[in-house]
Amino acid sequence: MTIPAFLSFIEGGDRVVGYVQLIDGDETFHFEKKMSTFRHITIGFIRSSLPGKELPNRVKITIQYVHKAVEEGLSFNLVGYKKDDGNYIMNYSTAKPNSSIQFRLDTFTEEFVSGYFESKNTEVNLFLDPIYDEESKKWIIPVFIPIQDEMGGNIPVILYLILIQDYYQKFNDTFEKISKLLLRFSNWFFDINDFNKENMSKLSSQLNDLLDKNIEPEYFEMGKVLQLPDLDRGILVTVLKEHKSGGITLSLLSKQLQETPQNVSAKVDELIKKGILRKYKDNDQTIIDTLWIV
């Protein structure tokens, strides 16, 4: 038996991102799935995305993003490389790059990282020099993000914006807005584990909105946070303080705010849907963390 999530514009190999909402409890849980040629989301898959692997009588499935499988003809692609077991590997891409571009990304990453660790000068610009790939007629813009390790040293993470010529012009036209978004994203990182598919997918969508529609995310500076209703403000201020520690458990957040877990959980889910907070599981505990727009 399958859940009716068959959409004509979704093709086999595409990756869909969204959340499952429990109707009775109003809780939401992230899911991400690479679609098969049948383009079905099965009940078994939805069950695996829920805590306890138990499926209630009613759930609501929301597909937020569809990442197309083939980069050919794609206007924008975000690709990320991070260190894993001593090697730098691609751990995220909006769509799989074609072979010529991936070869250039692999080569550039290896050469940059090697030069970075050998150099005494660790001051590197956020944006590195753009690269033009003649074969694909696309621009590759490397973005450098340093993350501190346990010893206080920097571990470089490399993102790549891959753009057709028209989008490269849009990139130049919206450079200040894109710089602001990526700088906030860079400053938000404190742990290499934050460099995951869920967070990268959100960033990819925000960058695409900027390039395609010139729509900038709604940022929440402290002045704006302080103008929010009491519970919203209390949650954001508390979670923001705990961001460097990887977030705060839902139970501790409720205790600090002196609010019932039910009220806090419902409000947190609202803020998650607005893209302000995120929620994840760690050792069977629900952890609440802020996102880079705060």
Side-chain angles (χ1 to χ4, degrees), residues 22 29 43 46-57 59:
L22 307 182
F29 301 92
I43 285 179
I46 293 301
R47 182 184 292 114
S48 70
S49 303
L50 298 174
K53 314 302 180 187
E54 296 182 3
L55 188 69
N57 292 329
V59 297

Side-chain angles (χ1 to χ4, degrees), residues 104-140:
R104 297 200 72 158
L105 300 185
D106 291 345
T107 302
F108 182 92
T109 302
E110 182 180 350
E111 292 176 351
F112 174 83
V113 170
S114 176
Y116 177 81
F117 285 121
E118 290 175 2
S119 174
K120 294 181 180 179
N121 179 21
T122 57
E123 294 296 324
V124 181
N125 293 330
L126 178 67
F127 291 96
L128 308 180
D129 292 338
I131 304 164
Y132 185 65
D133 185 73
E134 184 66 39
E135 182 176 338
S136 64
K137 309 297 183 187
K138 291 184 178 181
W139 286 92
I140 302 170

Side-chain angles (χ1 to χ4, degrees), residues 3-15:
I3 297 173
F6 183 93
L7 302 176
S8 60
F9 63 87
I10 298 178
E11 300 171 315
D14 291 350
R15 183 162 46 82

Side-chain angles (χ1 to χ4, degrees), residues 239 242-249 278 280 287-290:
V239 173
E242 298 295 333
H243 171 61
K244 288 186 178 181
S245 302
I248 184 172
T249 64
R278 68 183 187 124
Y280 64 96
I287 308 296
I288 313 300
D289 194 10
T290 181

Side-chain angles (χ1 to χ4, degrees), residues 68-170:
K68 305 303 289 181
V70 183
E71 194 211 44
E72 308 293 346
L74 193 69
S75 302
F76 163 76
N77 194 0
L78 175 66
V79 178
Y81 281 73
K82 76 168 186 176
K83 190 175 183 180
D84 188 9
D85 290 332
N87 298 312
Y88 270 78
I89 61 171
M90 181 188 301
N91 84 312
Y92 178 86
S93 61
T94 307
K96 182 175 176 57
N98 64 40
S99 56
S100 71
I101 286 185
Q102 181 161 351
F103 177 76
R104 297 200 72 158
L105 300 185
D106 291 345
T107 302
F108 182 92
T109 302
E110 182 180 350
E111 292 176 351
F112 174 83
V113 170
S114 176
Y116 177 81
F117 285 121
E118 290 175 2
S119 174
K120 294 181 180 179
N121 179 21
T122 57
E123 294 296 324
V124 181
N125 293 330
L126 178 67
F127 291 96
L128 308 180
D129 292 338
I131 304 164
Y132 185 65
D133 185 73
E134 184 66 39
E135 182 176 338
S136 64
K137 309 297 183 187
K138 291 184 178 181
W139 286 92
I140 302 170
I141 303 171
V143 180
F144 167 77
I145 296 180
I147 300 177
Q148 284 199 338
D149 59 19
E150 297 84 355
M151 305 299 293
N154 286 336
I155 303 173
V157 166
I158 310 295
L159 308 184
Y160 296 97
L161 310 184
I162 304 174
L163 315 171
I164 63 171
Q165 180 63 46
D166 182 47
Y167 268 50
Y168 181 62
Q169 183 59 52
K170 290 181 178 181

Side-chain angles (χ1 to χ4, degrees), residues 206-244:
Q206 290 170 338
L207 286 167
N208 195 49
D209 283 344
L210 258 173
L211 289 164
D212 189 41
K213 306 168 188 174
N214 198 16
I215 297 176
E216 192 173 12
E218 181 182 5
Y219 298 117
F220 287 79
E221 309 295 349
M222 188 52 65
K224 187 172 183 178
V225 170
L226 295 177
Q227 294 174 5
L228 293 173
D230 289 349
L231 185 53
D232 299 61
R233 181 178 67 250
I235 289 173
L236 287 186
V237 170
T238 305
V239 173
L240 188 60
K241 290 179 181 177
E242 298 295 333
H243 171 61
K244 288 186 178 181

